[in-house]
Amino acid sequence: MVNETDRKAARQPPSSMSQWKQIQQLEIRLLEQVDYLYDDNFPMDIRQGLASWIESQDWDTAVNDESMATVLFTNLLAQLERVRLQEQNFLQRHNMKIIHQQLQLKYATNPAVMARVISTCLREEQRILSSACMQEQGPLEKSLQNSVAFERQKNMDNRVGLIRNSVQLMDQAVKYIEDMQDDFDFRYKTLQSQESSDRNSERMKQEVTRLQEILNRLDFKRKEILSKMDIVIKEIDDLITSQLNPELQDWKRRQQIAAIGGPLLTGLEQLQSWFTLTAQSLFQIKRQLDKLGDLVLKVTYESDPIPLQKPQMEERVKYLIYHLIKSSFVVEKQPCMPTHPQKPLIIKTGVQFTTKVRLLVKLPEVDYQLKVKTTFDKDLPPGRVSRQFFILTNNTKVMDIEDYSNGCLSVEFRHLQLKEKKYINGTKGNEGLLSVTEELHSLSFEACFTVQGLTIDLETCSLPLVVISNVSQLPGGWASVMWYNLLTDEPRNLSFFGNPPRANWSQLSEVLSWQFSTFAGRGLNKEQLTMLGEKLFGQHASCGEYQVSWSKFSKENIPGKPFSFWMWLDSILELIKKHLLPVWNENYIMGFVSKEMERALLKDREPGTFLLRFSESHLGGITFTWVEHNDNGEVKFNSVEPYTKNRLSALPFADIIRDYKVISDGVVPENPLKFLYPDIPKDEAFGRLYNSQPSKVHPYIPSTLIPISELRSNVSTTPPSCRSPEPPMTPGEFDMLSEQLCFDIDTMSSPYSE
């Protein structure tokens, strides 16, 4: 049953509150997530000061439209300057001026980057608001947002900071040793320059004693600094092994989850800071060891600790630098077609796609330009896939330093394109083993450079890709992307669908809800997810650990239907995104509810009470059912034939509900829809979604499309549905139909249609 919380939520009037105001009313736990979204790339001060203006702009489109991004960037700076001049607080005005200057430096040459940053922040805000409306978080989101993760990051900040402080202190210690050795060197050379006759004098003996004391202290300090270096190197090694690498793997896992609609909380900027600070510490230690080596050239002695320990330490430092930089080469933006920004990892042949790699370490110097080369399906064993592809466009670019990324190197490939290889005699190799959307591919990135005498080979790869040749394969491809990234954290398991694992319903249902929050703005509640579970495996859906196979989810048809579960659900997502978004986001579509539940909800309601649900027998259809009561108390339920994209393209759904009419028994047509379940007056619920009336200055008499159903009796032994003409009639057509036709219509006896 629909619980009382949802009923109360349904009674709430449409909210006109801005997204930012809604954000500010969230509980502390969720506000902490919001705080992680904002940094120097997009300060929260701007979000606060320009909230309404920011939310009214189309940042998603600007990400892939350079001219639009430039206009928005210019307008944002103008808006910021306007707010600054109106600000009475001197300190705030000063801060806004600084922000204005920083934005110009960061984005003046690449405003599309700013558009992407703002678009991501707004989308994450929507997801956080959506999760706040859910009764409880799913297991995946809980695992990504627990307090342990936040504490772990604080611990990481402290540990990296302590290491940096230790290395700085070692710098001072090396300088102290240099000064001490200079003193020793000066005294020793002075002593050497004395006349031989003076060398046996008392003063000379005292000087020799003094030199021995300095040498003893120098030996102690050399051993001390080497001991400290050894401790710090071990600390850095442990930091990388036990914390930094796991944080990187955690970020990569979060990137996987974010790719399929989930949250991305750990920012790449934070990782970059940790990697860079750790690398800077290692480079600094390497320079300190070099200085110690120079000192040995000037002064050495028997059992000098530097020649004994320095080579081994140098090798360890070089090893750590090499592997730290190598692991810091990451795919910042997974391959994605600009035409489908919310469905990454699907590439259509002949369509350009973009991807971006970044080096998380800010390098002190690079001896030459760092070129990155991309390769498709590198080292893929022969026969693994039935189709082979090559990159049609330029596959090599030079990494640049980006101001907005604090000086780190990155490169974005914006115009990559795939082409399928031609085969002799039409043979493609290992055909028939997997479907096109189950074949996984990979995009590799390679680079090589030298830094401070170290030659480092870089290599990383994208998450597995699905390559399609027709847009009709997009739903199946997206199902594969979701299944892979939900169930494994392996970066390149291209044989995954040879034996795909099952998914727990508790996790799969959460990912399905993310699809609705990503593509439609609002996720699914517990009752809607329960209904989806029942559609997959009956009454077992209440068990969160019930498992569903890949075949049952995406390949097998629903019993009695010519389509799979995922094809049915994806068609609903498309219908919402293109035709039902305003109604869906107002929480007016109950959506996923069985016929039995629908009747149970409506039977005790006022006549004319209706609810909106998605068709179970049509791909991409929505219907409404209303309740009637006869004089004898008999309850009747009437359902209209589902509206699909073709019919909704002719008339907005809110207008259909407003103008819907039923012809019965020759009675003047009337709208039977009175109250949206549970008891919201129809016009109160949908009033602000109705299309505005035509302009009165138009020279023609306005016409209106009116959806009409006729209730027929004795037409069929099967309970008839309330059928609506296609397209809906205009008033003139309706008048002509009324005059020319004579209906023999009785009250419908409990028709129930999809």
Side-chain angles (χ1 to χ4, degrees):
M1 295 293 289
V2 176
N3 63 29
E4 191 61 28
T5 301
D6 289 329
R7 292 182 183 180
K8 289 178 180 178
R11 292 191 185 99
Q12 296 298 320
S15 173
S16 59
M17 187 183 300
S18 73
Q19 181 170 303
W20 186 245
K21 286 185 178 178
Q22 294 179 58
I23 286 288
Q24 291 173 310
Q25 295 180 4
L26 294 174
E27 58 181 290
I28 295 297
R29 173 181 63 85
L30 296 174
L31 286 175
E32 287 180 349
Q33 297 177 32
V34 176
D35 184 55
Y36 268 84
L37 300 178
Y38 295 96
D39 52 25
D40 290 342
N41 291 324
F42 184 31
M44 194 177 289
D45 291 339
I46 299 179
R47 184 67 180 94
Q48 169 77 22
L50 303 179
S52 299
W53 182 84
I54 286 172
E55 291 172 27
S56 66
Q57 309 305 310
D58 188 358
W59 301 102
D60 292 341
T61 301
V63 170
N64 299 301
D65 187 333
E66 195 72 32
S67 60
M68 183 178 179
T70 301
V71 171
L72 284 179
F73 176 62
T74 303
N75 291 344
L76 183 140
L77 293 179
Q79 291 287 333
L80 184 59
E81 181 64 12
R82 176 184 60 79
V83 172
R84 188 185 75 83
L85 294 175
Q86 294 174 352
E87 177 60 53
Q88 300 299 315
N89 186 290
F90 174 77
L91 182 59
Q92 279 294 94
R93 290 183 66 176
H94 174 75
N95 290 340
M96 287 185 179
K97 182 179 179 180
I98 298 299
I99 291 172
H100 190 287
Q101 294 170 346
Q102 290 175 340
L103 290 179
Q104 284 185 312
L105 288 173
K106 286 178 181 289
Y107 303 125
T109 58
N110 197 354
V113 173
M114 181 203 69
R116 185 187 305 125
V117 170
I118 297 178
S119 173
T120 301
C121 287
L122 293 177
R123 191 162 57 248
E124 281 295 298
E125 284 181 8
Q126 291 171 358
R127 184 197 57 74
I128 293 170
L129 284 172
S130 180
S131 68
C133 296
M134 299 295 104
Q135 293 180 353
E136 59 181 28
Q137 291 176 303
L140 276 173
E141 193 149 357
K142 281 182 178 177
S143 69
L144 297 176
Q145 296 178 3
N146 57 53
S147 58
V148 175
F150 293 116
E151 289 301 320
R152 192 177 66 234
Q153 291 169 18
K154 290 180 182 178
N155 176 266
M156 188 74 176
D157 284 334
N158 292 335
R159 195 171 179 187
V160 170
L162 288 173
I163 288 174
R164 288 296 295 151
N165 289 337
S166 297
V167 174
Q168 298 289 357
L169 290 174
M170 289 194 305
D171 249 3
Q172 297 176 22
V174 171
K175 182 65 170 62
Y176 180 82
I177 292 173
E178 284 182 299
D179 292 342
M180 183 185 298
Q181 184 161 310
D182 286 344
D183 182 41
F184 175 86
D185 192 48
F186 175 76
R187 289 174 179 271
Y188 180 78
K189 288 180 179 178
T190 300
L191 185 64
Q192 289 288 90
S193 66
Q194 297 295 317
E195 294 291 338
S196 57
S197 58
D198 296 333
R199 291 180 181 178
N200 293 325
S201 66
E202 190 64 29
R203 185 178 65 81
M204 293 298 292
K205 290 181 180 178
Q206 291 177 354
E207 186 63 21
V208 169
T209 303
R210 175 61 179 160
L211 280 174
Q212 186 62 52
E213 290 175 352
I214 294 176
L215 187 61
N216 291 342
R217 184 160 180 77
L218 188 63
D219 179 64
F220 173 79
K221 284 297 181 181
R222 286 184 174 187
K223 291 177 180 177
E224 183 182 56
I225 189 63
L226 289 169
S227 176
K228 288 180 178 179
M229 283 185 178
D230 183 61
I231 292 172
V232 174
I233 292 170
K234 287 179 179 177
E235 176 71 8
I236 292 175
D237 192 356
D238 183 69
L239 173 77
I240 294 172
T241 304
S242 66
Q243 287 189 272
L244 195 53
N245 285 341
E247 286 291 343
L248 178 61
Q249 295 308 312
D250 181 66
W251 179 84
K252 289 181 177 180
R253 179 58 180 156
R254 289 169 182 265
Q255 187 186 47
Q256 281 187 272
I257 296 302
I260 56 176
L264 179 61
L265 292 182
T266 300
L268 196 59
E269 300 299 325
Q270 181 65 74
L271 264 178
Q272 179 178 293
S273 173
W274 292 334
F275 267 89
T276 296
L277 289 173
T278 304
Q280 287 174 349
S281 295
L282 287 169
F283 281 122
Q284 199 165 348
I285 292 173
K286 185 176 180 298
R287 288 193 298 272
Q288 291 167 358
L289 287 169
D290 290 341
K291 286 183 179 180
L292 291 180
D294 292 340
L295 294 179
V296 172
L297 296 177
K298 296 178 180 179
V299 176
T300 188
Y301 47 88
E302 188 178 354
S303 300
D304 186 348
I306 294 179
L308 294 174
Q309 300 181 40
K310 176 178 173 287
Q312 184 181 3
M313 284 189 178
E314 278 185 324
E315 287 303 312
R316 288 168 59 195
V317 169
K318 289 179 181 179
Y319 175 87
L320 291 175
I321 291 174
Y322 179 86
H323 287 280
L324 181 70
I325 294 178
K326 195 174 179 66
S327 65
S328 77
F329 190 47
V330 299
V331 181
E332 178 181 349
K333 180 182 178 183
Q334 293 293 335
C336 181
M337 297 185 292
T339 52
H340 295 81
Q342 294 170 324
K343 288 186 176 179
L345 304 173
I346 301 178
I347 307 302
K348 183 177 180 295
T349 52
V351 175
Q352 289 185 349
F353 65 95
T354 66
T355 186
K356 182 179 181 181
V357 291
R358 186 195 284 198
L359 197 63
L360 297 179
V361 172
K362 182 179 179 181
L363 298 173
E365 61 183 58
V366 180
D367 288 353
Y368 52 86
Q369 287 186 326
L370 207 169
K371 294 182 179 180
V372 178
K373 179 183 177 181
T374 61
T375 309
F376 199 78
D377 279 345
K378 182 188 178 186
D379 301 330
L380 192 67
R384 175 63 63 85
V385 294
S386 64
R387 303 169 302 152
Q388 295 182 23
F389 305 90
F390 64 93
I391 298 174
L392 187 62
T393 47
N394 181 24
N395 66 338
T396 303
K397 287 190 73 173
V398 175
M399 297 191 90
D400 294 321
I401 295 177
E402 293 184 336
D403 292 333
Y404 82 93
S405 64
N406 298 321
C408 281
L409 290 166
S410 68
V411 61
E412 184 168 14
F413 294 86
R414 296 187 179 182
H415 306 291
L416 294 177
Q417 194 171 334
L418 291 182
K419 186 176 177 62
E420 188 170 359
K421 291 182 179 179
K422 299 294 184 181
Y423 300 89
I424 301 175
N425 299 325
T427 303
K428 290 191 177 184
N430 213 0
E431 295 193 52
L433 296 179
L434 295 173
S435 70
V436 167
T437 56
E438 291 175 318
E439 277 190 0
L440 299 180
H441 303 266
S442 178
L443 187 66
S444 301
F445 304 87
E446 298 173 283
C448 181
F449 69 100
T450 300
V451 57
Q452 292 196 359
L454 285 174
T455 299
I456 301 176
D457 297 311
L458 299 176
E459 184 172 0
T460 189
C461 65
S462 71
L463 290 168
L465 305 170
V466 174
V467 181
I468 62 176
S469 56
N470 192 292
V471 73
S472 64
Q473 298 166 333
L474 191 62
W478 186 239
S480 297
V481 170
M482 286 193 298
W483 205 262
Y484 182 95
N485 290 288
L486 168 64
L487 296 177
T488 182
D489 58 2
E490 294 181 76
R492 198 172 180 262
N493 182 3
L494 303 186
S495 59
F496 177 83
F497 283 103
N499 184 26
R502 291 172 171 263
N504 288 337
W505 174 243
S506 60
Q507 290 185 321
L508 179 59
S509 62
E510 187 177 4
V511 173
L512 296 181
S513 180
W514 288 344
Q515 305 315 299
F516 282 82
S517 59
T518 298
F519 294 101
R522 185 174 62 82
L524 303 179
N525 60 32
K526 186 177 181 180
E527 284 69 32
Q528 291 168 329
L529 291 172
T530 297
M531 184 272 172
L532 288 180
E534 290 175 352
K535 194 166 185 66
L536 268 176
F537 26 67
Q539 300 304 314
H540 300 288
S542 59
C543 177
E545 296 309 308
Y546 199 84
Q547 294 189 324
V548 57
S549 69
W550 163 244
S551 180
K552 191 174 184 66
F553 174 74
S554 180
K555 302 179 74 172
E556 298 173 8
N557 285 344
I558 297 172
K561 304 293 188 299
F563 44 79
S564 68
F565 173 84
W566 170 245
M567 290 299 293
W568 170 72
L569 196 62
D570 182 73
S571 69
I572 290 172
L573 275 165
E574 283 295 308
L575 189 73
I576 294 174
K577 184 170 65 173
K578 294 180 178 178
H579 301 289
L580 302 173
L581 210 53
V583 182
W584 173 259
N585 283 325
E586 291 294 349
N587 202 18
Y588 290 156
I589 300 176
M590 189 169 291
F592 303 102
V593 57
S594 66
K595 301 174 185 178
E596 294 74 15
M597 177 63 72
E598 183 180 62
R599 293 184 177 187
L601 294 174
L602 290 174
K603 66 179 181 178
D604 296 325
R605 294 293 165 179
E606 289 290 322
T609 300
F610 66 99
L611 56 77
L612 312 176
R613 66 177 180 85
F614 299 116
S615 170
E616 294 185 75
S617 61
H618 288 64
L619 279 179
I622 187 170
T623 183
F624 46 80
T625 300
W626 71 92
V627 64
E628 292 179 351
H629 298 275
N630 286 349
D631 293 338
N632 60 8
E634 181 183 0
V635 178
K636 297 187 177 182
F637 305 94
N638 306 294
S639 293
V640 73
E641 182 182 7
Y643 288 89
T644 58
K645 62 182 180 181
N646 292 333
R647 301 168 76 186
L648 292 173
S649 296
L651 196 62
F653 192 53
D655 288 5
I656 290 175
I657 293 171
R658 177 190 63 188
D659 300 327
Y660 182 74
K661 299 289 190 296
V662 171
I663 307 173
S664 179
D665 291 335
V667 177
V668 176
E670 65 172 25
N671 191 330
L673 309 178
K674 307 297 182 186
F675 303 98
L676 176 66
Y677 180 87
D679 54 13
I680 310 174
K682 176 188 63 179
D683 290 338
E684 180 183 322
F686 297 96
R688 75 189 191 95
L689 302 179
Y690 296 153
N691 272 4
S692 58
Q693 295 300 319
S695 171
K696 296 184 186 297
V697 301
H698 199 282
Y700 300 105
I701 298 173
S703 63
T704 304
L705 294 174
I706 299 178
I708 298 176
S709 294
E710 52 177 303
L711 304 185
R712 297 181 180 273
S713 63
N714 303 322
V715 175
S716 170
T717 55
T718 304
S721 62
C722 300
R723 304 189 63 84
S724 175
E726 179 131 10
M729 297 181 186
T730 66
E733 291 170 334
F734 172 72
D735 291 339
M736 291 175 60
L737 182 66
S738 298
E739 291 173 4
Q740 296 178 20
L741 300 179
C742 179
F743 296 104
D744 180 19
I745 301 173
D746 295 326
T747 304
M748 184 168 57
S749 176
S750 297
Y752 207 102
S753 168
E754 289 295 351

